[in-house]
Amino acid sequence: MTTPADTTSTTRPTPTTPLRIGLLGTGPWARNTQAPALAAHPGVELSGVWGRRSEAAEELASAHGTRAYTGEAGIDALLEASDAVAFALPPDIQAPLAVRAAQAGCHLLMDKPVATTVDGARAVAEAAAKAEVASVVFCTLRFAPETTAWIAEQTSVGGWFTARAQWLGSLYAEGSASEYADSPWRREKGGLWDVGPHALSVLIPVLGEVEHLTAARGPADTTHLILRHTSGASSTVTLGLSAPPAAAGMDIEVRGEHGTAAVPDWDGAEAAFRAAVDALAEAVRTGVPHACDARFGLRLTELLAEAETQAGR
């Protein structure tokens, strides 16, 4: 005996290669990293570019041989034309659109942080789980080949006693000409939210979940964190975007039973983003969640929100 098909289901069939990925956003991050990486990826079809400004969407789409979308109707049209969507939008614009995309059956390739509110990040994680779509949060160091290998090696070694992470940019230092300095959310939220996810995405897999956090405010937008991890190790983190150019730089170091290990340099964000695309495709294919998924993105937002409150920002 046969039964009629369930016509109420919105579940899409498993995507085939190439994976159709639409891009939401047309700013510097989309132009410099995401659109080039998606257009050049052999396993991806860049299914379209959506932007709030039609001229920006047309320009970026034309540069990469795809279709431009704009407006509310354009979002729905791009979701319909895509198996997955990548986000190059401010976090609190990203979050509700990620919920919308998940509800439409699209897999999610999100930028960090997922949202700057716990409620916003939780809504994304819950929507992804309910829709059973794959998700990846692009924390650069979790996907750059050099740092991915380093994180895996230090996690397997274990026995770490303490760690130190400093990520100081000069984005808002006098004389800075970076186009990323024009980002209103980044200027409002500072280094805690912009580079904090990167540092935490390294420390948590190596040292374990954060079970206690203390935060204090430093000069300009600088924030200092002291973390206690489930492994028993502790770590300190300094984050900011307003350091003098001569003081800017990134350094993460762990110390323990086997000595000292420092995170290596890596070769640009585009290669890391291609690896994040690969990770999403693997999660789609296997149904096995990636460690840096929407749930991890929620945890990052919980920690950063607590730090923001403690530091009085």
Side-chain angles (χ1 to χ4, degrees), residues 48-309:
V49 173
W50 178 88
R52 285 171 288 183
R53 294 186 301 111
S54 59
E55 61 272 23
E58 290 283 356
E59 182 179 355
L60 188 57
S62 176
H64 296 286
T66 191
R67 181 178 175 183
Y69 296 84
T70 193
E72 283 294 309
I75 295 173
D76 292 329
L78 180 57
L79 296 179
E80 180 62 30
S82 305
D83 302 309
V85 284
F87 295 85
L89 296 169
D92 294 326
I93 295 175
Q94 168 180 249
L97 288 178
V99 171
R100 185 168 166 181
Q103 291 171 342
C106 289
H107 306 286
L108 308 174
L109 179 49
M110 294 173 286
D111 202 10
K112 55 75 204 165
V114 169
T116 66
T117 67
V118 173
D119 286 346
R122 182 178 293 114
V124 175
E126 290 177 350
K130 183 176 181 179
E132 298 183 344
V133 296
S135 60
V136 164
V137 179
F138 181 52
C139 295
T140 309
L141 300 186
R142 288 292 287 270
F143 296 99
E146 302 87 347
T147 51
T148 298
W150 184 88
I151 291 169
E153 180 182 357
Q154 309 323 316
T155 302
S156 66
V157 167
W160 299 112
F161 183 70
T162 191
R164 173 181 57 84
Q166 289 192 112
W167 197 307
L168 293 171
S170 56
L171 200 63
Y172 299 121
E174 185 176 352
S176 171
S178 172
E179 59 185 336
Y180 294 100
D182 294 332
S183 165
W185 84 265
R186 192 173 276 110
R187 183 175 290 276
E188 177 188 354
K189 290 296 187 178
L192 175 67
W193 286 94
D194 187 31
V195 296
H198 293 310
L200 292 172
S201 76
V202 174
L203 295 173
I204 289 173
V206 175
L207 302 181
E209 178 57 84
V210 176
E211 60 181 16
H212 184 76
L213 177 154
T214 303
R217 189 169 185 165
D221 75 308
T222 305
T223 303
H224 302 284
L225 309 178
I226 301 174
L227 310 175
R228 185 173 69 233
H229 299 265
T230 52
S231 65
S234 64
S235 62
T236 61
V237 185
T238 298
L239 308 161
L241 297 176
S242 304
M250 187 281 290
D251 180 35
I252 300 176
E253 177 186 83
V254 291
R255 292 175 175 266
E257 298 171 2
H258 307 286
T260 302
V263 73
D265 293 333
W266 70 94
D267 186 22
E270 189 174 333
F273 190 75
R274 288 196 299 269
V277 173
D278 291 337
L280 181 68
E282 179 71 4
V284 170
R285 184 184 68 82
T286 64
V288 178
H290 190 274
C292 201
D293 65 358
R295 292 171 301 178
F296 184 71
L298 168 60
R299 182 56 181 151
L300 293 180
T301 294
E302 289 172 340
L303 292 169
L304 295 172
E306 181 181 348
E308 183 178 60
T309 299

Side-chain angles (χ1 to χ4, degrees), residues 4-83:
D6 180 3
T7 58
T8 64
S9 174
T10 59
T11 302
R12 298 185 182 185
T14 301
T16 57
T17 302
L19 190 68
R20 300 174 302 161
I21 302 182
L23 176 59
L24 291 162
T26 59
W29 189 238
R31 294 195 308 271
N32 298 337
T33 300
Q34 293 183 324
L38 291 169
H41 196 292
V44 167
E45 174 192 334
L46 179 56
S47 51
V49 173
W50 178 88
R52 285 171 288 183
R53 294 186 301 111
S54 59
E55 61 272 23
E58 290 283 356
E59 182 179 355
L60 188 57
S62 176
H64 296 286
T66 191
R67 181 178 175 183
Y69 296 84
T70 193
E72 283 294 309
I75 295 173
D76 292 329
L78 180 57
L79 296 179
E80 180 62 30
S82 305
D83 302 309

